[in-house]
Amino acid sequence: MSRPAFAHIDLDALRHNYRVARSRHGGKALAVVKANGYGHGAIRCAHALAPVADGFAVAITEEAVALREAGIEQPILVLEGAFGADDVTLADQHRLWLVVHQDEQIDMLRAHTPRHPIPVWLKMDSGMHRAGFFPHAYADAFARLQTLPSAGPVTLMTHFARADEPDADTTRVQLASFEAATAALPGERSLCNSGAILGWPAAHRQWCRPGIMMYGADPMPTPDADLKAVMTLGSAIIGVRELGVGEPVGYGGRFITGRPTRVGLVAMGYADGYPRTVPDGTPIIVGGQRTRVIGRVSMDMMTVDLTDLPEAGLGTPVECWGPHLNVNVVAQAAGTIAYELLCNVKRVAFSDTASR
Ligand SMILES: *Cc1c(COP(=O)(O)O)cnc(C)c1O
């Protein structure tokens, strides 16, 4: 028998969540599969979504080329755009769409002799101040693109800093600033990530860009979308010991038993992507029952409280997150977000299921 740590990917749930995103927003949706599909496997996710998705988005051209080589034929948008001339050549060869967020990327397109014009998503910095053209410089960038044989149709885009906050005034300000600076420009628009799809209907346009919600983690503080867990990160109990009162468990002796305690050892650690930062008491599912993490998570193993689960023993299945324990709960306990936990999953045995 091999180590029981696994990540199982429910591709039906992924498709379900994509459809939820698309119908909550209206119009078309680019399924965001950057960073290896938020840790789920970009190629398996793209294949599962190919029959239903309008297109895909990744961060970098290498990720896009990998999808093309795996047979994905839909549009693929590269969200960081070109880093250099070679990226523009790849985009042309592989029929990719490029985000353009700064002058240097317009110069790269100008220097390129196209086989096919490259569709461009022109990014505005409407207030996040991470990337994009300032509103006052946007129309000029648009006009320069229009003169280039290498640039195809231009889609107008921006990105929100606080879309997952239902009442952030900055989102209203970003939206107003985008509207004002694009009022005279033709072309389709795209503003929404998951948070804006769910929380900001005023920002819905022709295209949305769902990421995290597709993977079953609702980014809003009060989740209301009908999303299904896509990844189950799980393992099994591989050891059991009985301790008396006052005994330390694990590195640093952080947890001290307050009662006679049955400790379960789980084959899962931070090298698999389970966060080391979770405190004692973090929920975990053992044999279908909710119990708690006790002691520090180590690289390859962690310890859980089996005292109230007499049926649990060697081989009992463990769910770290999944359909019975939302990844957001673990992320919050760890002081981070579901995005980071999902992206970090590695080393475990990956598998997937789909009904077709
Ligand atoms: C990653 C990303 C998205 C997806 O965001 P989620 O919050 O995961 O839905 C959308 N747009 C851009 C520009 C991104 O970088």
Side-chain angles (χ1 to χ4, degrees):
M1 244 223 26
S2 52
R3 184 169 184 259
F6 71 89
H8 183 265
I9 310 301
D10 180 345
L11 297 170
D12 291 328
L14 180 73
R15 277 195 285 251
H16 166 87
N17 297 340
Y18 173 82
R19 289 197 182 96
V20 170
R22 197 174 188 277
S23 72
R24 282 281 286 254
H25 180 272
K28 296 170 279 185
L30 290 183
V32 181
V33 295
K34 64 191 178 192
N36 199 26
Y38 290 43
H40 293 65
I43 288 173
R44 68 157 61 78
C45 291
H47 276 143
L49 290 166
V52 292
D54 302 302
F56 295 95
V58 294
I60 60 178
T61 52
E62 285 82 352
E63 293 175 323
V65 170
L67 293 183
R68 283 280 180 263
E69 286 172 350
I72 296 298
E73 290 173 356
Q74 276 91 347
I76 304 175
L77 175 66
V78 180
L79 291 166
E80 287 190 61
F83 288 83
D86 47 343
D87 283 333
V88 177
T89 304
L90 283 174
D92 189 354
Q93 264 171 16
H94 293 276
R95 295 163 295 110
L96 310 177
W97 300 0
L98 290 179
V99 164
V100 166
H101 65 78
Q102 58 191 7
D103 286 326
E104 290 75 4
Q105 293 176 321
I106 298 182
D107 298 338
M108 290 173 207
L109 283 169
R110 184 179 296 111
H112 179 72
T113 309
R115 285 201 308 191
H116 318 283
I118 297 169
V120 168
W121 286 40
L122 182 61
K123 187 167 188 172
M124 182 189 297
D125 175 6
S126 57
M128 185 170 180
H129 297 345
R130 185 177 63 170
F133 292 87
F134 287 127
H136 64 80
Y138 195 76
D140 177 68
F142 184 95
R144 276 181 284 148
L145 281 172
Q146 299 262 285
T147 67
L148 303 182
S150 54
V154 179
T155 301
L156 317 181
M157 80 176 287
T158 194
H159 192 59
F160 295 121
R162 298 171 66 172
D164 53 357
E165 298 175 32
D167 210 29
D169 232 6
T170 54
T171 303
R172 265 182 283 277
V173 171
Q174 282 197 257
L175 180 54
S177 148
F178 179 82
E179 286 296 284
T182 56
L185 300 179
E188 295 188 313
R189 271 80 169 149
S190 178
L191 289 78
C192 296
N193 64 349
S194 298
I197 290 167
L198 295 171
W200 293 91
H204 295 177
R205 296 293 184 273
Q206 287 81 17
W207 287 95
C208 62
R209 312 182 302 265
I212 196 71
M213 68 179 291
M214 231 170 42
Y215 303 100
D218 191 319
M220 305 309 280
T222 315
D224 73 333
D226 167 31
L227 303 178
K228 298 181 172 158
V230 176
M231 180 192 291
T232 304
L233 182 70
S235 188
I237 301 290
I238 57 164
V240 178
R241 73 191 55 240
E242 311 267 354
L243 296 178
V245 177
E247 298 291 343
V249 177
Y251 281 121
R254 180 183 70 180
F255 180 82
I256 311 253
T257 56
R259 57 172 181 175
T261 299
R262 209 162 153 256
V263 181
L265 182 64
V266 180
M268 176 66 62
Y270 61 78
D272 304 299
Y274 189 92
R276 181 178 174 278
T277 49
V278 298
D280 296 323
T282 299
I284 187 162
I285 309 288
V286 177
Q289 311 263 103
R290 188 177 274 237
T291 182
R292 56 184 186 142
V293 174
I294 54 178
R296 281 222 173 94
V297 173
S298 37
M299 188 182 286
D300 315 309
M301 290 178 276
M302 57 192 285
T303 38
V304 300
D305 190 351
L306 301 183
T307 312
D308 299 324
L309 304 178
E311 262 95 275
L314 285 183
T316 302
V318 174
E319 179 180 319
C320 298
W321 59 70
H324 306 99
L325 180 59
N326 196 287
V327 60
N328 281 325
V329 172
V330 182
Q332 194 166 19
T336 184
I337 51 177
Y339 300 73
E340 188 184 20
L341 295 194
L342 295 170
C343 287
N344 276 343
V345 173
K346 55 193 172 298
R347 188 172 73 177
V348 301
F350 273 79
S351 63
D352 58 61
T353 48
S355 58
R356 50 171 297 274

